[in-house]
Amino acid sequence: EATDGTLWGVCGPNVYYVDPLFGQTLVGTIVNSPTRPSFSDNGSVIIIVDGSLLGCAINMANRQFGQINDPSFYGADKVDYLDTFFIFNRSGTAQFYISLSNVSFAMLTGAAAFDPLDIAAKTGGADPIATLIVISRQLWLIGTLTSEVWTNTGAADFTFGAIPGAFTDHGCVAKYSVAAMDGFAYWLSQDRQGQGIIVKTRDIYGIERVSTHVIDADIQAYPAIADAYGGTYQQQGHAFYVITFPTADHTWQREVATAKWNEWGSIDNNGVLHRHRAACWAFAYGKNIVGDYANGELYSLDPTVYTDDGVPIVRIRSIPHITKNGKRFGVPRLQADMEVGNADPNDQPIITLRISKTKGASWMQPVEQNMGMAGEYETSILWTNVVGDARDVVFELSWSGNFRTALNGVFIDLVEQRT
């Protein structure tokens, strides 16, 4: 979303203006490459960079599209804006550079938008800049191994300067994983000791880990993580950071207030679970809008719609290992406390229970239960004689349906058996 409330996007090499009804008007083309383009604007002109030595500009007043022609433009894969200046990384180096103040479309396309001396380098570490991001009027230069923070000092020779002590020995392994929300940035980190931990910035210019050991172990076992991309959105008062690993075909999502993670996915027409379809995010025209990596379509991320464009959304909830001090036990009763009764009158919604007595190594035959027909708000979802004899049990519930539902809790009775 541009600062005037309009929406813009790139699909393949094509750059589009998107109207409030999701109508798309082609305004120009960029280099057709697998890189993810970066947008920023100053209220009158939008700049797009894509990792090549070329850059493009859009006149926000009339949607005129043109190439940046200034010889002091060195290309970039990330552009941001701060205090009237566009800021660019110089790909593959520790350098970054800025435009002149308040540049216009005519200046950018007419070779008058840059001063060749307005270039500087990240100096706290020798590693190159992976990407950059502006947070709360401060510029984070995120390297491959270290990161540092700069601010607008107003110096005559170069207006930005490093903040003393604003440095961290953590960089970024996936430059497209960086995303900002609520004055903080999130990304997939890398340092001299390893990689694959998700972090966020802190007020004191440091970072903190937000992923769990379990998630870290999963991520570090993926065949590739440098291609991960991230995004943020807010819905119904909940703010989320989302990171997708396209090669590994997984998506993780963190709810900020509770710091809880969930794996987020979509199923294909064959019922196979994949990473979530959203490849990019924007809040525009009063909607959370996402772009679908599989078909290039735009969708509104709407919590009152219970399918992915007609495809069922599968919800899976695993319950932690249940033990009884190493003793054998039985489970005569398991009850799922759920919001029920909202199904379509023609639906017979089903919830499925899977059981493992081998700590998740193998599973027993799934058992189904009715989730309650339309209007049956007091339906009790109950399984009896669930497990007769075990030392460790894992339960998993799964369901899908084109209606509102929620799992509020699970109640399990345990009966100790003779050893």
Side-chain angles (χ1 to χ4, degrees):
E1 185 194 32
T3 54
D4 63 354
T6 55
L7 183 63
W8 305 80
V10 171
C11 189
N14 299 321
V15 182
Y16 296 96
Y17 161 72
V18 183
D19 65 36
L21 298 179
F22 285 23
Q24 300 171 30
T25 302
L26 180 67
V27 296
T29 59
I30 61 173
V31 175
N32 191 10
S33 71
T35 58
R36 295 173 64 86
S38 175
F39 291 72
S40 192
D41 78 86
N42 64 1
S44 67
V45 62
I46 297 170
I47 287 181
I48 308 174
V49 296
D50 60 4
S52 72
L53 294 177
L54 304 177
C56 299
I58 302 172
N59 188 329
M60 297 170 66
N62 57 19
R63 302 176 198 161
Q64 183 181 359
F65 185 91
Q67 183 174 311
I68 299 175
N69 289 318
D70 196 305
S72 295
F73 176 77
Y74 307 115
D77 52 36
K78 180 61 187 291
V79 56
D80 215 326
Y81 174 82
L82 177 60
D83 292 349
T84 75
F85 300 94
F86 286 108
I87 308 172
F88 308 83
N89 68 319
R90 193 170 185 180
S91 302
T93 76
Q95 296 178 327
F96 71 102
Y97 61 103
I98 63 175
S99 70
L100 299 178
S101 176
N102 290 316
V103 294
S104 64
F105 178 81
M107 295 169 66
L108 286 163
T109 56
F114 295 86
D115 182 334
L117 299 180
D118 280 341
I119 188 168
K122 181 174 80 70
T123 57
D127 52 308
I129 295 173
T131 188
L132 55 83
I133 190 168
V134 173
I135 313 168
S136 301
R137 289 191 66 193
Q138 293 178 333
L139 173 62
W140 279 73
L141 303 175
I142 303 173
T144 57
L145 295 173
T146 66
S147 303
E148 59 193 59
V149 189
W150 289 47
T151 191
N152 189 352
T153 64
D157 53 346
F158 188 75
T159 191
F160 293 99
I163 299 175
F167 177 86
T168 178
D169 282 307
H170 298 276
C172 179
V173 66
K175 59 186 176 183
Y176 300 122
S177 69
V178 180
M181 178 173 54
D182 293 338
F184 300 96
Y186 297 77
W187 69 80
L188 187 65
S189 72
Q190 176 177 260
D191 55 36
R192 290 180 174 86
Q193 288 72 47
Q195 63 181 14
I197 294 173
I198 301 171
V199 300
K200 65 171 285 193
T201 57
R202 297 188 303 189
D203 292 330
I204 55 174
Y205 305 123
I207 64 169
E208 62 180 292
R209 169 189 180 171
V210 295
S211 53
T212 67
H213 291 297
V214 173
I215 292 174
D216 295 342
D218 279 356
I219 290 173
Q220 292 167 17
Y222 292 161
I225 62 175
D227 59 350
Y229 53 83
T232 55
Y233 72 97
Q234 182 264 110
Q235 199 162 63
Q236 295 183 327
H238 297 270
F240 298 90
Y241 169 70
V242 182
I243 183 168
T244 292
F245 299 85
T247 299
D249 205 22
H250 286 277
T251 298
W252 291 94
Q253 176 175 253
R254 181 180 189 262
E255 200 277 328
V256 173
T258 62
K260 299 296 185 182
W261 286 90
N262 69 282
E263 194 164 4
W264 199 21
S266 300
I267 61 172
D268 60 22
N269 292 329
N270 297 317
V272 179
L273 187 64
H274 300 279
R275 69 188 190 269
H276 195 263
R277 301 282 288 268
C280 50
W281 299 259
F283 183 79
Y285 310 130
K287 300 180 178 69
N288 284 304
I289 299 174
V290 299
D292 190 326
Y293 77 84
N295 59 20
E297 296 288 342
L298 296 178
Y299 296 101
S300 173
L301 195 62
D302 188 339
T304 66
V305 176
Y306 307 107
T307 67
D308 284 338
D309 194 24
V311 179
I313 299 174
V314 176
R315 296 168 172 87
I316 302 172
R317 181 66 168 94
S318 297
I319 299 167
H321 289 257
I322 296 172
T323 62
K324 193 172 178 63
N325 299 321
K327 299 178 181 179
R328 293 190 175 276
F329 62 89
V331 182
R333 178 179 176 273
L334 183 148
Q335 182 176 5
D337 177 19
M338 299 190 69
E339 180 182 9
V340 294
N342 298 318
D344 185 274
N346 298 319
D347 285 347
Q348 292 184 330
I350 296 297
I351 184 170
T352 301
L353 172 67
R354 286 207 312 166
I355 305 165
S356 174
K357 297 169 61 176
T358 58
K359 303 180 182 180
S362 60
W363 297 85
M364 300 167 60
Q365 189 69 22
V367 185
E368 296 181 344
Q369 281 288 5
N370 177 28
M371 288 181 65
M373 303 285 285
E376 295 179 349
Y377 302 112
E378 296 183 0
T379 298
S380 178
I381 304 174
L382 180 67
W383 290 266
T384 58
N385 299 320
V386 179
V387 176
D389 184 27
R391 293 186 188 274
D392 184 297
V393 179
V394 179
F395 295 112
E396 179 190 88
L397 295 171
S398 61
W399 67 98
S400 66
N402 190 9
F403 56 91
R404 188 184 74 241
T405 185
L407 177 63
N408 303 315
V410 176
F411 301 95
I412 301 171
D413 292 341
L414 301 183
V415 176
E416 186 175 328
Q417 307 283 34
R418 293 182 177 275
T419 58

